[in-house]
Amino acid sequence: MLALLFAANLLNFYDRTIPSIVVEPIKAEFGLSDAEIGLISAAFTVVYAVVGIPLGRLADRRSRRVILSAGLAVWSLLTAVTGLVGGFAALVVVRLLLGVGEASFAPATNSLVADLYPPDRRARATGLWQLGLPVGLVLAFFTVGSMTEAFGSWRAAFFVAAVPGLAVAAALAFIHEPARGASESAPVATAQVGTPFRSLVRVPTLWWLVVAGLGSQIASYAVATFSVPLFQRHFGTSLAVGGAFTGITIGVTGLVGLTLGGRVADRAGRRSPAGRVLTGAYGLLGAAPLTAAAFFVDATMPLVFVVVFSAGWLLQYLYFTAAYPAVADVVEPRLRGTAMALYFAASYLLGGALGPLMAGALSDRFAASARDLGSESAAAYGLHLSLAIVIPVGLLIAAVGLFVASKCVARDQKKMRSALRAAR
């Protein structure tokens, strides 16, 4: 089951990353600005966040197997439809609809993993299925550019990507999901919670995890949306080479960060309830200055940029193995799907949508102020300066959120366990 969840997550990030890799050809065909490119990403993210709330509630009430299978089938079909669009408006609409399908994945998956693995193994299990994120990014960034150049069209990758998604969706339809609360050390209540949202907003740890998620998504979506254009404009690479460099900086780093991060976080969590969260906080605190330092690298040395930025981005992956399991640490099994949906909705709406919009708007503004450099040099200057600001700031916000969450997690975990005993 964990292998299938990994495969689905891989396709999740492969599919959503394709537009970020073919930014320049899409801009050229439809005559778009960087702000409009940011809007395409933001449109997907807003729907992904909002629709995730009812789908999270559904994951707490209905079969998570059916939700996962149907969601993957829907987003795979819409990925293929993306390759048929004829203009900017149609592209935005399809990405909006695709966000509905992908929103089904995270709440149902986190709920399943919490029931499959006990608390002292959840960070490692989370790290393993979350490996689909960097593997999906690596595959996308290493293949989509070459595929686009080989077929002579940015549309080809969307058609190819839809096929494995439908196959994995069919496989997910036959998994046997565990009972809710199956991995808990004590029996859990099975009756529906009368006021789920009121119960969740009373958990301070969740609030600060949302702040951390906001910062993380600002940085992550800015990076995912504009890294390939940065390599093309600022460092002068081809689309394929820019995609490969991006695959290293934000994909290969995740293979190491999530694998080791899960082990380190679980070990720290055994020492204290706050240990797992603090692991992520310190990782983000190290990631911010390293990613900022990368933007001081000269434009003639793209490989040096890759090394420095990769070191910082590897550390930020500790966020995932800290924050995601922390939700299960403070929320009872009956509400975990809803809790993850609320967490994603808030962090994606305020961070995931804002990140690419902010980066794109700042890029256009900075480029307009440097028109004396020529249009191409100004575009490179604007994007470079924009990302140099947005990425480190987002990572620092995430670090602050996790540091404060670490002060609340032990108390909220105790309250959760007391509530479970009372419910029985």
Side-chain angles (χ1 to χ4, degrees):
M1 192 181 300
L2 194 64
L4 279 175
L5 295 177
F6 159 82
N9 201 34
L10 183 160
L11 295 168
N12 185 329
F13 282 91
Y14 189 100
D15 294 356
R16 76 169 70 176
T17 302
I18 297 173
S20 303
I21 301 170
V22 293
V23 162
E24 298 299 89
I26 289 176
K27 280 188 68 177
E29 181 169 334
F30 297 147
L32 308 180
S33 67
D34 280 346
E36 288 171 318
I37 291 296
L39 180 61
I40 295 171
S41 178
F44 164 87
T45 307
V46 167
V47 172
Y48 180 90
V50 172
V51 176
I53 296 176
L55 288 174
R57 289 296 297 139
L58 198 64
D60 284 332
R61 296 167 177 262
R62 297 288 186 267
S63 169
R64 293 162 290 187
R65 169 181 58 85
V66 173
I67 293 169
L68 287 169
S69 179
L72 178 50
V74 168
W75 93 58
S76 296
L77 290 171
L78 287 168
T79 296
V81 173
T82 307
L84 300 173
V85 298
F88 173 67
L91 182 58
V92 171
V93 169
V94 173
R95 298 307 289 179
L96 285 169
L97 295 174
L98 195 144
V100 176
E102 292 204 12
S104 65
F105 182 75
T109 299
N110 277 280
S111 177
L112 273 177
V113 169
D115 290 337
L116 285 167
Y117 295 91
D120 64 346
R121 295 175 60 201
R122 279 182 193 146
R124 190 180 304 182
T126 298
L128 289 173
W129 75 262
Q130 275 288 344
L131 279 175
L133 189 165
V135 174
L137 294 179
V138 168
L139 288 176
F141 284 116
F142 274 91
T143 62
V144 171
S146 299
M147 203 182 303
T148 300
E149 292 178 354
F151 284 94
S153 171
W154 58 266
R155 301 172 186 272
F158 292 98
F159 301 131
V160 174
V163 178
L166 295 173
V168 175
L172 282 170
F174 295 97
I175 64 174
H176 177 71
E177 65 180 274
R180 298 185 196 275
S183 67
E184 302 300 325
S185 57
V188 299
T190 57
Q192 294 293 325
V193 179
T195 55
F197 295 106
R198 184 181 301 176
S199 300
L200 291 172
V201 297
R202 291 174 178 169
V203 183
T205 300
L206 280 181
W207 285 97
W208 290 106
L209 289 176
V210 165
V211 172
L214 183 156
S216 173
Q217 298 304 336
I218 286 176
S220 296
Y221 272 77
V223 168
T225 303
F226 289 111
S227 283
V228 175
L230 176 71
F231 280 113
Q232 290 181 270
R233 297 182 204 176
H234 185 73
F235 294 105
T237 71
S238 67
L239 173 60
V241 172
F245 281 161
T246 303
I248 294 170
T249 57
I250 69 175
V252 173
T253 55
L255 300 177
V256 179
L258 289 171
T259 303
L260 295 181
R263 293 176 179 271
V264 173
D266 274 340
R267 190 171 299 171
R270 293 186 191 109
R271 289 197 294 268
S272 74
R276 183 153 48 201
V277 180
L278 282 171
T279 299
Y282 285 117
L284 289 163
L285 196 61
L290 281 170
T291 55
F295 287 94
F296 289 94
V297 173
D298 190 85
T300 60
M301 298 188 290
L303 287 176
V304 177
F305 175 90
V306 169
V307 171
V308 178
F309 193 89
S310 294
W313 207 249
L314 186 153
L315 289 174
Q316 73 82 36
Y317 273 107
L318 296 179
Y319 160 79
F320 295 97
T321 55
Y324 288 16
V327 174
D329 288 343
V330 298
V331 175
E332 62 169 291
R334 296 177 296 171
L335 292 175
R336 284 173 183 162
T338 304
M340 286 305 302
L342 285 174
Y343 163 74
F344 278 118
S347 59
Y348 274 78
L349 278 174
L350 299 174
L354 183 61
L357 276 177
M358 184 189 307
L362 285 176
S363 174
D364 289 338
R365 180 179 290 272
F366 292 144
S369 69
R371 288 298 183 191
D372 54 315
L373 299 176
S375 59
E376 289 188 5
S377 295
Y381 167 81
L383 184 58
H384 183 263
L385 181 56
S386 170
L387 295 180
I389 295 170
V390 172
I391 295 168
V393 169
L395 294 174
L396 285 174
I397 293 171
V400 170
L402 287 188
F403 274 119
V404 182
S406 71
K407 306 295 184 184
C408 311
V409 68
R411 182 171 63 251
D412 288 341
Q413 188 178 72
K414 186 177 180 180
K415 288 180 181 177
M416 184 267 285
R417 289 172 177 169
S418 297
L420 284 178
R421 287 193 293 268
R424 295 201 304 272

